[in-house]
Amino acid sequence: MPLGFTIMFMMFAISSSVSSIHLEYKDYTWQRLLSSPIHKISVLLGYFIAYFLLGWIQLGILLTILSIFFNVYIGNFMRILVFGSFVIGLVVSLGFMIATLSHTKKQAEVFSAIIIVGTCCMLGGLYWPLDIVPDMMKKISLAIPQTWMMSGFGEIMSGTVNHTILLLDITVLAAFTIVFMVIGLKNIRSY
């Protein structure tokens, strides 16, 4: 449970931060960036790195709090570092996709809330374990990124890591990240 809420809080913070693109659009900063000789992939990469670092600061603080105050075993630091990086990359790309598909900051925040809480967290096992849901919901959860986040963190924090499961979790998260980034990149000009 605490891990699920940690992921949810991180997702809200990062997706809300990424939606600040709308404020830059309103102030014409975004248009100047895109009309400059810099390729839009470079602009996207700059934003990605900034929000990625912000995500690591937040995830690091939240995992430290889980470890110290809730006495949660975090697992191997290097595995957490690698897997957490894939999780944060996915969350940043999801936030970017939502920001480029929406027309205002408020609209992006509403879309984020619907996607993060309404579908992903409830179906992805962040609020309750997927062991208690019907089989149909378990099948649907395989299309939800948070399912793979919880699976990977669960493997690392269990102390006995099955590398096959962890590699599958990383592969699925990387695939989601690429899809979300491509959608965001394709919509960057029309935004």
Side-chain angles (χ1 to χ4, degrees), residues 37-80:
I38 300 171
H39 196 273
K40 65 182 176 180
I41 292 176
S42 299
V43 173
L44 177 62
L45 188 60
Y47 276 92
F48 185 85
I49 291 169
Y51 292 120
F52 182 84
L53 293 174
L54 178 70
W56 253 119
I57 290 169
Q58 184 178 15
L59 184 61
I61 290 170
L62 290 172
L63 288 176
T64 302
I65 289 171
L66 280 177
S67 177
I68 293 171
F69 294 112
F70 294 100
N71 202 24
V72 173
Y73 175 70
I74 300 299
N76 181 286
F77 177 74
M78 286 307 294
R79 288 186 183 125
I80 286 288

Side-chain angles (χ1 to χ4, degrees), residues 5 14-15 56 58 64 70 87 91 95 112 133 147-148 155 176 184 190:
F5 284 104
I14 293 173
S15 66
W56 253 119
Q58 184 178 15
T64 302
F70 294 100
V87 168
V91 174
S112 292
V133 300
T147 302
W148 303 97
E155 276 299 311
F176 273 116
S190 62

Side-chain angles (χ1 to χ4, degrees), residues 12 15-23 25 94-116 187 190-191:
F12 269 121
S15 66
S16 176
S17 297
V18 174
S19 68
S20 67
I21 290 172
H22 290 286
L23 299 175
Y25 182 77
L94 174 67
F96 185 74
M97 180 188 74
I98 291 170
T100 58
L101 289 173
S102 58
H103 298 291
T104 65
K105 185 170 175 28
K106 289 290 182 196
Q107 192 179 46
E109 290 170 356
V110 169
F111 287 158
S112 292
I114 291 169
I115 291 170
I116 293 170
N187 289 298
S190 62
Y191 161 69

Side-chain angles (χ1 to χ4, degrees), residues 147-168:
T147 302
W148 303 97
M149 291 177 193
M150 289 296 289
S151 173
F153 277 126
E155 276 299 311
I156 295 168
M157 292 176 175
S158 72
T160 57
V161 178
N162 182 335
H163 293 287
T164 306
I165 293 174
L166 191 59
L167 186 59
L168 176 64

